[in-house]
Amino acid sequence: MPFEDELGKALQDTGGTFTADRRALIEGGMTRGRRRLARRRAGAVTGSTLAVALLATGGVYLTSTGEDAVRPAEYPVPSGAYGHFEITADEIGNILHNGMNRAGIGVDNPQLESGGSTEPAGPATASIVFGDGWGEAKVTVSVRRVDPSDTEVKKLLVCPDKKGSPYEECTNQPGDRAVKGYTEAGKAGGVKKWEVTTLSPNGYLIEVGTQNVQVSGAESPQGRNPRMNPGKLRHLAMFVDGSLTRDGEPNAFGTAEPGSRAEPGDTLPILKSLLPERLSVYSEGASAAEGHVVVSDGKGNLTYIEVVRGLSSDFKGGTVLPDGTKLVTRQLPGREPGVVELRVGMLRVNGLELSIGAYNAPSPKSAKRGAQPLITMEELRTIALSRTWLVAR
């Protein structure tokens, strides 16, 4: 089957309304010592709760018997910028649960198993068994840290030769999104298994999968497609990517307690988390659909940066990225003499729309405080395209 973005009407209806949870943000700022204590407690069950079996080539494999195991795969151990990975079992479990909700899949009576990781080459895994309206279904995720430039890792993103392949269909897809998917329809007595593998530019190998097998009681094929089609699996992989920082730890947005309510104005913490490290926040503010900061370079120059959600942008003359995201960039004159406005508009296929602007002034109506904004157009573009926005509620 083709691997389009079939995200569904529920996702389109809710995609532009996500805001981050303030309570989760506070929890996400707890000390590293507390995080490590939680990991030590989780370490005792890690081996027994791994939810995904890995092919010798490194892909997620869901057994037709419903028994999951881990088969060691030879992955290069990353170093340098990718040599750190710490996440608890609860955190990866919450990421999977929240990602299912964002993909428009109702999760009834979830049975969640998860295992954390304290080393780059060790996967963090989670599985969820839930009622999908026609019985039970199962979705799994595995995440490990890798060097995205490693040639051995890149081999995992290439479909095998059709001759002798265990899969009836496999599609390579461009870019750093989910690039590999399988279906196994008609094999193993009718069992259908769909898998997607993503290599993140931040150094995460993310593998997600689902199957149409009854997983409790007498296990047998259910004669239907899994609810998580390849398009939704791809979106789940992007959600997982957006839940992890470039430093090798989860952020507070994707790991929020499933079902917890967001508060108005929580666009601001996401904006602050995505700012270039060289910029110092001078002042900040937020409302239900907008967040802004004034940043300083310490030399008297100030720049106002704002993010507005759901503001209709004119995408004429813009570009459409391989994953369907629409993007437009503009440089405009400000209201006051010498003021420059940089503007990026972004619209994702799930309906999430952002407009991000920067002025070389402390507000859009103020006189200039610097020859140019302290942030570049390319940096604004990077902020707009960050997958962290996908995990905000």
Side-chain angles (χ1 to χ4, degrees):
M1 65 173 290
F3 285 75
E4 302 92 344
D5 275 315
E6 301 170 356
L7 300 183
K9 185 175 184 302
L11 186 61
Q12 294 176 359
D13 291 342
T14 61
T17 64
F18 303 151
T19 58
D21 182 64
R22 191 179 303 276
R23 181 165 63 94
L25 296 177
I26 296 173
E27 293 173 353
M30 295 298 178
T31 64
R32 185 180 296 271
R34 180 178 175 184
R35 181 185 295 278
R36 285 177 175 154
L37 175 61
R39 283 183 177 78
R40 284 196 295 271
R41 292 172 177 169
V45 299
T46 299
S48 62
T49 57
L50 294 179
V52 204
L54 299 177
L55 285 170
T57 57
V60 178
Y61 183 73
L62 299 154
T63 64
S64 59
T65 64
E67 296 178 356
D68 295 318
V70 174
R71 282 184 262 167
E74 292 299 326
Y75 284 96
V77 178
S79 60
Y82 310 105
H84 176 72
F85 185 38
E86 290 190 59
I87 183 170
T88 67
D90 286 343
E91 287 168 336
I92 188 64
N94 285 352
I95 288 172
L96 174 58
H97 197 167
N98 288 327
M100 293 287 293
N101 293 336
R102 302 298 198 282
I105 299 296
V107 178
D108 296 328
N109 303 315
Q111 303 171 42
L112 185 66
E113 291 186 338
S114 57
S117 178
T118 58
E119 57 182 64
T125 62
S127 71
I128 190 167
V129 177
F130 62 99
D132 67 354
W134 291 278
E136 289 182 328
K138 188 171 190 176
V139 176
T140 62
V141 62
S142 172
V143 186
R144 70 178 71 223
R145 206 86 201 272
V146 296
D147 184 343
S149 65
D150 193 288
T151 55
E152 293 301 314
V153 171
K154 289 184 176 181
K155 290 179 181 179
L156 305 178
L157 310 175
V158 179
C159 290
D161 293 335
K162 289 185 178 181
K163 185 177 181 180
S165 171
Y167 306 104
E168 291 189 351
E169 185 171 330
C170 180
T171 303
N172 292 319
Q173 298 178 355
D176 57 8
R177 57 189 172 92
V179 296
K180 184 178 180 183
Y182 300 107
T183 63
E184 199 174 359
K187 294 192 176 183
V191 174
K192 297 183 179 181
K193 307 171 185 177
W194 292 341
E195 305 164 17
V196 169
T197 302
T198 301
L199 178 58
S200 163
N202 284 336
Y204 295 101
L205 184 68
I206 302 167
E207 301 160 298
V208 293
T210 189
Q211 61 183 340
N212 68 331
V213 172
Q214 186 78 18
V215 294
S216 67
E219 299 199 5
S220 61
Q222 300 187 62
R224 60 175 175 82
N225 291 338
R227 290 289 304 280
M228 290 290 287
N229 61 36
K232 287 183 170 63
L233 285 177
R234 193 170 68 195
H235 189 272
L236 174 61
M238 289 192 291
F239 180 92
V240 175
D241 187 23
S243 300
L244 302 168
T245 72
R246 69 186 66 181
D247 297 324
E249 296 188 358
N251 60 43
F253 310 110
T255 57
E257 188 69 24
S260 59
R261 289 192 173 189
E263 296 183 16
D266 283 333
T267 297
L268 176 61
I270 299 180
L271 171 60
K272 290 172 64 177
S273 74
L274 297 174
L275 290 173
E277 294 183 359
R278 72 177 188 281
L279 299 180
S280 174
V281 176
Y282 181 80
S283 65
E284 61 186 56
S287 63
E290 177 267 351
H292 70 265
V293 295
V294 178
V295 297
S296 169
D297 63 356
K299 302 177 182 179
N301 298 317
L302 298 176
T303 291
Y304 181 93
I305 303 172
E306 65 177 356
V307 175
V308 182
R309 305 174 65 142
L311 181 65
S312 296
S313 299
D314 179 8
F315 292 97
K316 185 177 180 180
T319 58
V320 179
L321 303 182
D323 64 358
T325 300
K326 295 181 179 179
L327 189 74
V328 64
T329 59
R330 309 245 193 265
Q331 179 169 328
L332 306 168
R335 297 186 182 184
E336 297 297 323
V339 173
V340 176
E341 176 188 355
L342 305 180
R343 179 70 54 178
V344 177
M346 184 277 294
L347 176 63
R348 287 193 177 271
V349 294
N350 69 341
L352 175 63
E353 184 173 1
L354 298 174
S355 179
I356 303 181
Y359 303 80
N360 54 327
S363 80
K365 300 180 181 179
S366 301
K368 71 173 185 178
R369 290 286 296 273
Q372 292 291 328
L374 296 174
I375 191 169
T376 67
M377 184 73 82
E378 184 61 29
E379 289 170 330
L380 287 180
R381 185 180 184 275
T382 299
I383 291 175
L385 293 177
S386 171
R387 288 174 176 171
T388 306
W389 296 108
L390 289 174
V391 308
R393 292 172 301 162

